[in-house]
Amino acid sequence: MTGRPPPYPPPPRPAEVVPRLVAAGIPSRIGKGDTSLWPNAARPGWVGAARAARPLVGEIEGLRDQLRLAGQVRVVLAAAGGVGVAAEALCAADPRLVVLDSTDPVQVADALAGELAATVLVVSAPPGEDTTGVELVRDAVHRAFRAEGLDPDAQTVVVTPPGGPLQQEAGGAVVVLGPADVDGPWAALTAFALVPAGLAGADVGAVLADAAAAAPGFAADSDDNPALELGALLAGAPVVALADDGTPALAEWAGQLVAGGLGKDGHGPLVVPVEGPDAPEWAGGAALALSIGDVPGAAGGTAGSPATQILLWQHAVAVAAHLLGVDPTDRPDAAAARPASGGEQPAFVEGGIEVHAGPWLPAGTDTVAGALRALVGSVGTHLTVHAYLDRVDDASAAVLRPELARRTGLPTVFGWAPRWLPGSGQRDKGGPVGALVCQLTGAADDTDADPGADPGTGTDPLAEHQIAQARGDAVALATRGTIVLRLHFTDRVAGLVTLARAVQQL
């Protein structure tokens, strides 16, 4: 289809950068939370987060014992701001943790199909996050609790900054306060992720002990500090291909951190989560190929426990942000409303897919394959797929990523939305400008309807919110000049089949 993007210059060699960082005392200044290293007003709370969280260990263990005595051994997490994927990383994919960081009605219905009497709902959102979706999920779970004759307050734990809206609406639920000076992926070692992870079985004491043991090494003014080499590489790489190495949640979290921490106003690297060394981007247009468990500078190449890896990537991104002259924790308030996006009519319908596009779509286009050709044939540097779908039931959508990369010749980024909107060029999402964005949304059938749906109109607040998010994001992208194609699956199974066939025709 299109040619590969122009070759990128090699990033600066860490050997040329690390000695300068050491001489300037950058690692130790980061370890002290010195905000003068970055422009604007950084939120340095992440630096001492693990140390400040130590008092939580007893509280979490006591609460977990109390809940287990009541038979509540399954955790459903309604989350925002990257803490859901952080909790998954700390739990190492423990099936007792079910993360709902989307209002996808299919995904919510799947979570509610579990044993509700054995379920505790954890509601967690760091400061500055839009809690609308979290509140909708909370309300849906509470309705399901009541329908089973269960008391929602007895089965809910709220993690919130002091005075936040979730605290004000907590009622009789247990409330755990998190810090007010961290947000997004930087909150991985705070109450926002530690509470749900700990209630699901993670050893929070061991997590924080690992972090405490690793922290001095990352704050050391030494050429052997692994955060310096990784940070120097990230600062110089226009594209980062990141393989999960068997730990997908940790890799996704790291991708969010790099993209959001370094991607400011269309700058920073394009982070491309890939399947492994066989991915097209690994040896193709990517300037830097990394495996999450095998990073430069770490002892023996291995980054260690999840807590150690989290701290390594946080310090490395802070180093890279200093080199790039950006603030790694500065971002727009996510609680701000998305742009208005009224109803829209599809350009055409094919095989269970409604195709929505702007005036860029050539007249007469009437197939999904034709719409995809028009999208990737537009002027752009990379292709981004944002899937507002169920990460479990609709997982086959992600399988299309490497095939799209091979057939288009473009670095191709895939993200489950709104959990992560990678490669869009937005100020807080990371990646350069020039994205070509394909949104995937899906309808829910009657069996997935939220118990709070309007019986007269069938309106489902979860589904409505999800579509509104996608439309609002599309408007925000289009306002920046980004070309957006939205493929809405009126039938998810049929739509995914149609999309797979269309990709094969590129």
Side-chain angles (χ1 to χ4, degrees), residues 349-385:
V349 179
E350 182 199 9
I353 297 181
E354 292 180 350
V355 176
H356 299 260
W360 58 267
L361 186 68
T365 304
D366 58 1
T367 66
V368 174
L372 286 173
R373 288 193 201 98
L375 175 67
V376 301
S378 303
V379 177
T381 60
H382 58 280
L383 175 63
T384 295
V385 180

PDB file of all heavy atoms in Angstrom, residues 349-385:
ATOM      1  N   VAL A 349     -22.961   1.019   5.294  1.00  0.00           N
ATOM      2  CA  VAL A 349     -22.968  -0.141   6.186  1.00  0.00           C
ATOM      3  C   VAL A 349     -22.574  -1.369   5.377  1.00  0.00           C
ATOM      4  O   VAL A 349     -23.053  -1.571   4.259  1.00  0.00           O
ATOM      5  CB  VAL A 349     -24.360  -0.350   6.825  1.00  0.00           C
ATOM      6  CG1 VAL A 349     -24.345  -1.581   7.738  1.00  0.00           C
ATOM      7  CG2 VAL A 349     -24.801   0.887   7.594  1.00  0.00           C
ATOM      8  N   GLU A 350     -21.680  -2.188   5.955  1.00  0.00           N
ATOM      9  CA  GLU A 350     -21.298  -3.435   5.293  1.00  0.00           C
ATOM     10  C   GLU A 350     -20.985  -4.505   6.337  1.00  0.00           C
ATOM     11  O   GLU A 350     -20.203  -4.262   7.263  1.00  0.00           O
ATOM     12  CB  GLU A 350     -20.057  -3.249   4.401  1.00  0.00           C
ATOM     13  CG  GLU A 350     -19.688  -4.554   3.655  1.00  0.00           C
ATOM     14  CD  GLU A 350     -18.261  -4.567   3.143  1.00  0.00           C
ATOM     15  OE1 GLU A 350     -17.483  -3.667   3.495  1.00  0.00           O
ATOM     16  OE2 GLU A 350     -17.921  -5.496   2.388  1.00  0.00           O
ATOM     17  N   GLY A 351     -21.596  -5.671   6.208  1.00  0.00           N
ATOM     18  CA  GLY A 351     -21.227  -6.830   7.009  1.00  0.00           C
ATOM     19  C   GLY A 351     -21.209  -6.610   8.504  1.00  0.00           C
ATOM     20  O   GLY A 351     -20.281  -7.042   9.177  1.00  0.00           O
ATOM     21  N   GLY A 352     -22.233  -5.943   9.023  1.00  0.00           N
ATOM     22  CA  GLY A 352     -22.283  -5.700  10.460  1.00  0.00           C
ATOM     23  C   GLY A 352     -21.435  -4.539  10.926  1.00  0.00           C
ATOM     24  O   GLY A 352     -21.206  -4.377  12.128  1.00  0.00           O
ATOM     25  N   ILE A 353     -20.965  -3.697   9.998  1.00  0.00           N
ATOM     26  CA  ILE A 353     -20.144  -2.528  10.354  1.00  0.00           C
ATOM     27  C   ILE A 353     -20.757  -1.264   9.774  1.00  0.00           C
ATOM     28  O   ILE A 353     -20.998  -1.182   8.565  1.00  0.00           O
ATOM     29  CB  ILE A 353     -18.699  -2.666   9.837  1.00  0.00           C
ATOM     30  CG1 ILE A 353     -17.998  -3.860  10.477  1.00  0.00           C
ATOM     31  CG2 ILE A 353     -17.908  -1.389  10.106  1.00  0.00           C
ATOM     32  CD1 ILE A 353     -16.563  -4.035  10.024  1.00  0.00           C
ATOM     33  N   GLU A 354     -21.021  -0.296  10.636  1.00  0.00           N
ATOM     34  CA  GLU A 354     -21.351   1.056  10.198  1.00  0.00           C
ATOM     35  C   GLU A 354     -20.043   1.834  10.052  1.00  0.00           C
ATOM     36  O   GLU A 354     -19.231   1.866  10.988  1.00  0.00           O
ATOM     37  CB  GLU A 354     -22.231   1.764  11.223  1.00  0.00           C
ATOM     38  CG  GLU A 354     -23.631   1.196  11.362  1.00  0.00           C
ATOM     39  CD  GLU A 354     -24.440   1.958  12.402  1.00  0.00           C
ATOM     40  OE1 GLU A 354     -23.844   2.786  13.138  1.00  0.00           O
ATOM     41  OE2 GLU A 354     -25.657   1.710  12.496  1.00  0.00           O
ATOM     42  N   VAL A 355     -19.830   2.438   8.895  1.00  0.00           N
ATOM     43  CA  VAL A 355     -18.589   3.164   8.622  1.00  0.00           C
ATOM     44  C   VAL A 355     -18.860   4.662   8.764  1.00  0.00           C
ATOM     45  O   VAL A 355     -19.707   5.218   8.059  1.00  0.00           O
ATOM     46  CB  VAL A 355     -18.050   2.840   7.225  1.00  0.00           C
ATOM     47  CG1 VAL A 355     -16.815   3.683   6.924  1.00  0.00           C
ATOM     48  CG2 VAL A 355     -17.727   1.340   7.127  1.00  0.00           C
ATOM     49  N   HIS A 356     -18.117   5.286   9.703  1.00  0.00           N
ATOM     50  CA  HIS A 356     -18.252   6.724   9.946  1.00  0.00           C
ATOM     51  C   HIS A 356     -16.936   7.396   9.577  1.00  0.00           C
ATOM     52  O   HIS A 356     -15.868   6.972  10.029  1.00  0.00           O
ATOM     53  CB  HIS A 356     -18.571   6.991  11.425  1.00  0.00           C
ATOM     54  CG  HIS A 356     -19.857   6.385  11.894  1.00  0.00           C
ATOM     55  ND1 HIS A 356     -21.019   7.108  12.023  1.00  0.00           N
ATOM     56  CD2 HIS A 356     -20.156   5.106  12.266  1.00  0.00           C
ATOM     57  CE1 HIS A 356     -21.984   6.309  12.469  1.00  0.00           C
ATOM     58  NE2 HIS A 356     -21.487   5.084  12.618  1.00  0.00           N
ATOM     59  N   ALA A 357     -17.028   8.432   8.751  1.00  0.00           N
ATOM     60  CA  ALA A 357     -15.805   9.114   8.299  1.00  0.00           C
ATOM     61  C   ALA A 357     -16.136  10.560   7.960  1.00  0.00           C
ATOM     62  O   ALA A 357     -17.301  10.925   7.769  1.00  0.00           O
ATOM     63  CB  ALA A 357     -15.213   8.402   7.083  1.00  0.00           C
ATOM     64  N   GLY A 358     -15.092  11.355   7.871  1.00  0.00           N
ATOM     65  CA  GLY A 358     -15.250  12.750   7.501  1.00  0.00           C
ATOM     66  C   GLY A 358     -15.212  12.935   6.000  1.00  0.00           C
ATOM     67  O   GLY A 358     -15.205  11.968   5.228  1.00  0.00           O
ATOM     68  N   PRO A 359     -15.156  14.191   5.562  1.00  0.00           N
ATOM     69  CA  PRO A 359     -15.152  14.479   4.128  1.00  0.00           C
ATOM     70  C   PRO A 359     -13.926  13.968   3.401  1.00  0.00           C
ATOM     71  O   PRO A 359     -13.884  14.005   2.166  1.00  0.00           O
ATOM     72  CB  PRO A 359     -15.235  16.018   4.085  1.00  0.00           C
ATOM     73  CG  PRO A 359     -14.775  16.484   5.428  1.00  0.00           C
ATOM     74  CD  PRO A 359     -15.182  15.425   6.386  1.00  0.00           C
ATOM     75  N   TRP A 360     -12.922  13.476   4.125  1.00  0.00           N
ATOM     76  CA  TRP A 360     -11.734  12.931   3.482  1.00  0.00           C
ATOM     77  C   TRP A 360     -12.030  11.621   2.751  1.00  0.00           C
ATOM     78  O   TRP A 360     -11.267  11.222   1.872  1.00  0.00           O
ATOM     79  CB  TRP A 360     -10.626  12.693   4.513  1.00  0.00           C
ATOM     80  CG  TRP A 360     -11.032  11.762   5.628  1.00  0.00           C
ATOM     81  CD1 TRP A 360     -11.562  12.105   6.831  1.00  0.00           C
ATOM     82  CD2 TRP A 360     -10.956  10.328   5.618  1.00  0.00           C
ATOM     83  NE1 TRP A 360     -11.830  10.989   7.577  1.00  0.00           N
ATOM     84  CE2 TRP A 360     -11.467   9.883   6.858  1.00  0.00           C
ATOM     85  CE3 TRP A 360     -10.515   9.389   4.699  1.00  0.00           C
ATOM     86  CZ2 TRP A 360     -11.543   8.536   7.193  1.00  0.00           C
ATOM     87  CZ3 TRP A 360     -10.602   8.039   5.031  1.00  0.00           C
ATOM     88  CH2 TRP A 360     -11.099   7.622   6.257  1.00  0.00           C
ATOM     89  N   LEU A 361     -13.137  10.933   3.126  1.00  0.00           N
ATOM     90  CA  LEU A 361     -13.456   9.651   2.501  1.00  0.00           C
ATOM     91  C   LEU A 361     -13.919   9.894   1.066  1.00  0.00           C
ATOM     92  O   LEU A 361     -14.869  10.639   0.823  1.00  0.00           O
ATOM     93  CB  LEU A 361     -14.550   8.938   3.287  1.00  0.00           C
ATOM     94  CG  LEU A 361     -14.886   7.514   2.834  1.00  0.00           C
ATOM     95  CD1 LEU A 361     -13.719   6.577   3.135  1.00  0.00           C
ATOM     96  CD2 LEU A 361     -16.159   7.009   3.520  1.00  0.00           C
ATOM     97  N   PRO A 362     -13.277   9.286   0.066  1.00  0.00           N
ATOM     98  CA  PRO A 362     -13.660   9.531  -1.326  1.00  0.00           C
ATOM     99  C   PRO A 362     -15.122   9.170  -1.595  1.00  0.00           C
ATOM    100  O   PRO A 362     -15.636   8.165  -1.074  1.00  0.00           O
ATOM    101  CB  PRO A 362     -12.714   8.618  -2.118  1.00  0.00           C
ATOM    102  CG  PRO A 362     -11.547   8.397  -1.219  1.00  0.00           C
ATOM    103  CD  PRO A 362     -12.112   8.377   0.169  1.00  0.00           C
ATOM    104  N   ALA A 363     -15.785   9.978  -2.394  1.00  0.00           N
ATOM    105  CA  ALA A 363     -17.178   9.702  -2.768  1.00  0.00           C
ATOM    106  C   ALA A 363     -17.255   8.349  -3.465  1.00  0.00           C
ATOM    107  O   ALA A 363     -16.377   7.975  -4.254  1.00  0.00           O
ATOM    108  CB  ALA A 363     -17.696  10.804  -3.692  1.00  0.00           C
ATOM    109  N   GLY A 364     -18.311   7.624  -3.159  1.00  0.00           N
ATOM    110  CA  GLY A 364     -18.518   6.333  -3.787  1.00  0.00           C
ATOM    111  C   GLY A 364     -17.901   5.166  -3.038  1.00  0.00           C
ATOM    112  O   GLY A 364     -18.123   4.002  -3.403  1.00  0.00           O
ATOM    113  N   THR A 365     -17.125   5.426  -1.982  1.00  0.00           N
ATOM    114  CA  THR A 365     -16.552   4.326  -1.193  1.00  0.00           C
ATOM    115  C   THR A 365     -17.699   3.580  -0.507  1.00  0.00           C
ATOM    116  O   THR A 365     -18.512   4.181   0.202  1.00  0.00           O
ATOM    117  CB  THR A 365     -15.572   4.865  -0.131  1.00  0.00           C
ATOM    118  OG1 THR A 365     -14.563   5.641  -0.758  1.00  0.00           O
ATOM    119  CG2 THR A 365     -14.945   3.722   0.652  1.00  0.00           C
ATOM    120  N   ASP A 366     -17.748   2.258  -0.686  1.00  0.00           N
ATOM    121  CA  ASP A 366     -18.873   1.513  -0.122  1.00  0.00           C
ATOM    122  C   ASP A 366     -18.450   0.170   0.492  1.00  0.00           C
ATOM    123  O   ASP A 366     -19.285  -0.700   0.721  1.00  0.00           O
ATOM    124  CB  ASP A 366     -19.953   1.279  -1.190  1.00  0.00           C
ATOM    125  CG  ASP A 366     -19.426   0.526  -2.404  1.00  0.00           C
ATOM    126  OD1 ASP A 366     -18.231   0.160  -2.412  1.00  0.00           O
ATOM    127  OD2 ASP A 366     -20.218   0.307  -3.347  1.00  0.00           O
ATOM    128  N   THR A 367     -17.159   0.000   0.749  1.00  0.00           N
ATOM    129  CA  THR A 367     -16.687  -1.205   1.421  1.00  0.00           C
ATOM    130  C   THR A 367     -15.733  -0.826   2.546  1.00  0.00           C
ATOM    131  O   THR A 367     -15.070   0.229   2.494  1.00  0.00           O
ATOM    132  CB  THR A 367     -15.952  -2.159   0.461  1.00  0.00           C
ATOM    133  OG1 THR A 367     -14.745  -1.542   0.012  1.00  0.00           O
ATOM    134  CG2 THR A 367     -16.839  -2.536  -0.725  1.00  0.00           C
ATOM    135  N   VAL A 368     -15.664  -1.687   3.558  1.00  0.00           N
ATOM    136  CA  VAL A 368     -14.735  -1.435   4.664  1.00  0.00           C
ATOM    137  C   VAL A 368     -13.301  -1.447   4.151  1.00  0.00           C
ATOM    138  O   VAL A 368     -12.475  -0.622   4.555  1.00  0.00           O
ATOM    139  CB  VAL A 368     -14.933  -2.487   5.773  1.00  0.00           C
ATOM    140  CG1 VAL A 368     -13.882  -2.330   6.865  1.00  0.00           C
ATOM    141  CG2 VAL A 368     -16.338  -2.376   6.368  1.00  0.00           C
ATOM    142  N   ALA A 369     -12.989  -2.356   3.243  1.00  0.00           N
ATOM    143  CA  ALA A 369     -11.650  -2.404   2.674  1.00  0.00           C
ATOM    144  C   ALA A 369     -11.318  -1.103   1.958  1.00  0.00           C
ATOM    145  O   ALA A 369     -10.201  -0.567   2.072  1.00  0.00           O
ATOM    146  CB  ALA A 369     -11.527  -3.580   1.709  1.00  0.00           C
ATOM    147  N   GLY A 370     -12.288  -0.549   1.217  1.00  0.00           N
ATOM    148  CA  GLY A 370     -12.069   0.710   0.526  1.00  0.00           C
ATOM    149  C   GLY A 370     -11.828   1.848   1.495  1.00  0.00           C
ATOM    150  O   GLY A 370     -10.977   2.722   1.253  1.00  0.00           O
ATOM    151  N   ALA A 371     -12.581   1.857   2.615  1.00  0.00           N
ATOM    152  CA  ALA A 371     -12.398   2.909   3.611  1.00  0.00           C
ATOM    153  C   ALA A 371     -11.014   2.807   4.262  1.00  0.00           C
ATOM    154  O   ALA A 371     -10.347   3.819   4.492  1.00  0.00           O
ATOM    155  CB  ALA A 371     -13.491   2.819   4.668  1.00  0.00           C
ATOM    156  N   LEU A 372     -10.571   1.575   4.545  1.00  0.00           N
ATOM    157  CA  LEU A 372      -9.240   1.388   5.117  1.00  0.00           C
ATOM    158  C   LEU A 372      -8.155   1.828   4.134  1.00  0.00           C
ATOM    159  O   LEU A 372      -7.159   2.454   4.521  1.00  0.00           O
ATOM    160  CB  LEU A 372      -9.037  -0.069   5.515  1.00  0.00           C
ATOM    161  CG  LEU A 372      -9.765  -0.548   6.771  1.00  0.00           C
ATOM    162  CD1 LEU A 372      -9.597  -2.051   6.945  1.00  0.00           C
ATOM    163  CD2 LEU A 372      -9.246   0.184   8.014  1.00  0.00           C
ATOM    164  N   ARG A 373      -8.350   1.502   2.846  1.00  0.00           N
ATOM    165  CA  ARG A 373      -7.369   1.939   1.845  1.00  0.00           C
ATOM    166  C   ARG A 373      -7.274   3.461   1.806  1.00  0.00           C
ATOM    167  O   ARG A 373      -6.184   4.034   1.691  1.00  0.00           O
ATOM    168  CB  ARG A 373      -7.757   1.413   0.466  1.00  0.00           C
ATOM    169  CG  ARG A 373      -7.558  -0.079   0.270  1.00  0.00           C
ATOM    170  CD  ARG A 373      -7.672  -0.453  -1.204  1.00  0.00           C
ATOM    171  NE  ARG A 373      -7.964  -1.866  -1.367  1.00  0.00           N
ATOM    172  CZ  ARG A 373      -9.164  -2.379  -1.579  1.00  0.00           C
ATOM    173  NH1 ARG A 373     -10.216  -1.560  -1.681  1.00  0.00           N
ATOM    174  NH2 ARG A 373      -9.335  -3.671  -1.707  1.00  0.00           N
ATOM    175  N   ALA A 374      -8.426   4.108   1.878  1.00  0.00           N
ATOM    176  CA  ALA A 374      -8.426   5.566   1.850  1.00  0.00           C
ATOM    177  C   ALA A 374      -7.735   6.136   3.088  1.00  0.00           C
ATOM    178  O   ALA A 374      -7.012   7.136   3.002  1.00  0.00           O
ATOM    179  CB  ALA A 374      -9.866   6.084   1.756  1.00  0.00           C
ATOM    180  N   LEU A 375      -7.942   5.491   4.232  1.00  0.00           N
ATOM    181  CA  LEU A 375      -7.316   5.964   5.469  1.00  0.00           C
ATOM    182  C   LEU A 375      -5.801   5.848   5.379  1.00  0.00           C
ATOM    183  O   LEU A 375      -5.076   6.837   5.581  1.00  0.00           O
ATOM    184  CB  LEU A 375      -7.832   5.154   6.665  1.00  0.00           C
ATOM    185  CG  LEU A 375      -7.181   5.466   8.019  1.00  0.00           C
ATOM    186  CD1 LEU A 375      -7.548   6.869   8.480  1.00  0.00           C
ATOM    187  CD2 LEU A 375      -7.595   4.431   9.066  1.00  0.00           C
ATOM    188  N   VAL A 376      -5.292   4.657   5.068  1.00  0.00           N
ATOM    189  CA  VAL A 376      -3.836   4.456   5.072  1.00  0.00           C
ATOM    190  C   VAL A 376      -3.170   5.092   3.860  1.00  0.00           C
ATOM    191  O   VAL A 376      -1.947   5.264   3.844  1.00  0.00           O
ATOM    192  CB  VAL A 376      -3.483   2.952   5.162  1.00  0.00           C
ATOM    193  CG1 VAL A 376      -4.058   2.346   6.429  1.00  0.00           C
ATOM    194  CG2 VAL A 376      -3.951   2.192   3.935  1.00  0.00           C
ATOM    195  N   GLY A 377      -3.968   5.461   2.846  1.00  0.00           N
ATOM    196  CA  GLY A 377      -3.414   6.170   1.699  1.00  0.00           C
ATOM    197  C   GLY A 377      -3.318   7.661   1.921  1.00  0.00           C
ATOM    198  O   GLY A 377      -2.770   8.382   1.082  1.00  0.00           O
ATOM    199  N   SER A 378      -3.839   8.146   3.054  1.00  0.00           N
ATOM    200  CA  SER A 378      -3.752   9.567   3.379  1.00  0.00           C
ATOM    201  C   SER A 378      -2.345   9.895   3.877  1.00  0.00           C
ATOM    202  O   SER A 378      -1.542   9.014   4.168  1.00  0.00           O
ATOM    203  CB  SER A 378      -4.787   9.918   4.451  1.00  0.00           C
ATOM    204  OG  SER A 378      -6.100   9.569   4.038  1.00  0.00           O
ATOM    205  N   VAL A 379      -2.071  11.171   3.984  1.00  0.00           N
ATOM    206  CA  VAL A 379      -0.753  11.599   4.451  1.00  0.00           C
ATOM    207  C   VAL A 379      -0.664  11.379   5.956  1.00  0.00           C
ATOM    208  O   VAL A 379      -1.419  11.956   6.734  1.00  0.00           O
ATOM    209  CB  VAL A 379      -0.511  13.082   4.121  1.00  0.00           C
ATOM    210  CG1 VAL A 379       0.840  13.528   4.679  1.00  0.00           C
ATOM    211  CG2 VAL A 379      -0.566  13.304   2.616  1.00  0.00           C
ATOM    212  N   GLY A 380       0.239  10.525   6.357  1.00  0.00           N
ATOM    213  CA  GLY A 380       0.412  10.224   7.774  1.00  0.00           C
ATOM    214  C   GLY A 380       1.684   9.437   7.990  1.00  0.00           C
ATOM    215  O   GLY A 380       2.248   8.858   7.056  1.00  0.00           O
ATOM    216  N   THR A 381       2.145   9.410   9.235  1.00  0.00           N
ATOM    217  CA  THR A 381       3.400   8.727   9.557  1.00  0.00           C
ATOM    218  C   THR A 381       3.182   7.363  10.196  1.00  0.00           C
ATOM    219  O   THR A 381       4.083   6.523  10.188  1.00  0.00           O
ATOM    220  CB  THR A 381       4.241   9.571  10.521  1.00  0.00           C
ATOM    221  OG1 THR A 381       3.489   9.785  11.738  1.00  0.00           O
ATOM    222  CG2 THR A 381       4.590  10.911   9.895  1.00  0.00           C
ATOM    223  N   HIS A 382       1.997   7.130  10.803  1.00  0.00           N
ATOM    224  CA  HIS A 382       1.746   5.862  11.468  1.00  0.00           C
ATOM    225  C   HIS A 382       0.247   5.639  11.578  1.00  0.00           C
ATOM    226  O   HIS A 382      -0.551   6.575  11.475  1.00  0.00           O
ATOM    227  CB  HIS A 382       2.402   5.816  12.846  1.00  0.00           C
ATOM    228  CG  HIS A 382       1.950   6.908  13.779  1.00  0.00           C
ATOM    229  ND1 HIS A 382       2.445   8.200  13.717  1.00  0.00           N
ATOM    230  CD2 HIS A 382       1.055   6.909  14.807  1.00  0.00           C
ATOM    231  CE1 HIS A 382       1.878   8.942  14.658  1.00  0.00           C
ATOM    232  NE2 HIS A 382       1.027   8.182  15.322  1.00  0.00           N
ATOM    233  N   LEU A 383      -0.125   4.388  11.772  1.00  0.00           N
ATOM    234  CA  LEU A 383      -1.524   3.997  11.898  1.00  0.00           C
ATOM    235  C   LEU A 383      -1.807   3.650  13.352  1.00  0.00           C
ATOM    236  O   LEU A 383      -1.028   2.941  13.997  1.00  0.00           O
ATOM    237  CB  LEU A 383      -1.825   2.795  10.999  1.00  0.00           C
ATOM    238  CG  LEU A 383      -3.231   2.180  11.099  1.00  0.00           C
ATOM    239  CD1 LEU A 383      -4.291   3.183  10.663  1.00  0.00           C
ATOM    240  CD2 LEU A 383      -3.303   0.912  10.260  1.00  0.00           C
ATOM    241  N   THR A 384      -2.916   4.151  13.869  1.00  0.00           N
ATOM    242  CA  THR A 384      -3.302   3.887  15.249  1.00  0.00           C
ATOM    243  C   THR A 384      -4.712   3.312  15.280  1.00  0.00           C
ATOM    244  O   THR A 384      -5.619   3.865  14.652  1.00  0.00           O
ATOM    245  CB  THR A 384      -3.264   5.181  16.087  1.00  0.00           C
ATOM    246  OG1 THR A 384      -1.919   5.645  16.169  1.00  0.00           O
ATOM    247  CG2 THR A 384      -3.782   4.939  17.482  1.00  0.00           C
ATOM    248  N   VAL A 385      -4.887   2.210  16.006  1.00  0.00           N
ATOM    249  CA  VAL A 385      -6.199   1.595  16.180  1.00  0.00           C
ATOM    250  C   VAL A 385      -6.603   1.723  17.648  1.00  0.00           C
ATOM    251  O   VAL A 385      -5.885   1.232  18.531  1.00  0.00           O
ATOM    252  CB  VAL A 385      -6.195   0.111  15.758  1.00  0.00           C
ATOM    253  CG1 VAL A 385      -7.591  -0.494  15.947  1.00  0.00           C
ATOM    254  CG2 VAL A 385      -5.737  -0.035  14.313  1.00  0.00           C
TER     255      VAL A 385
END
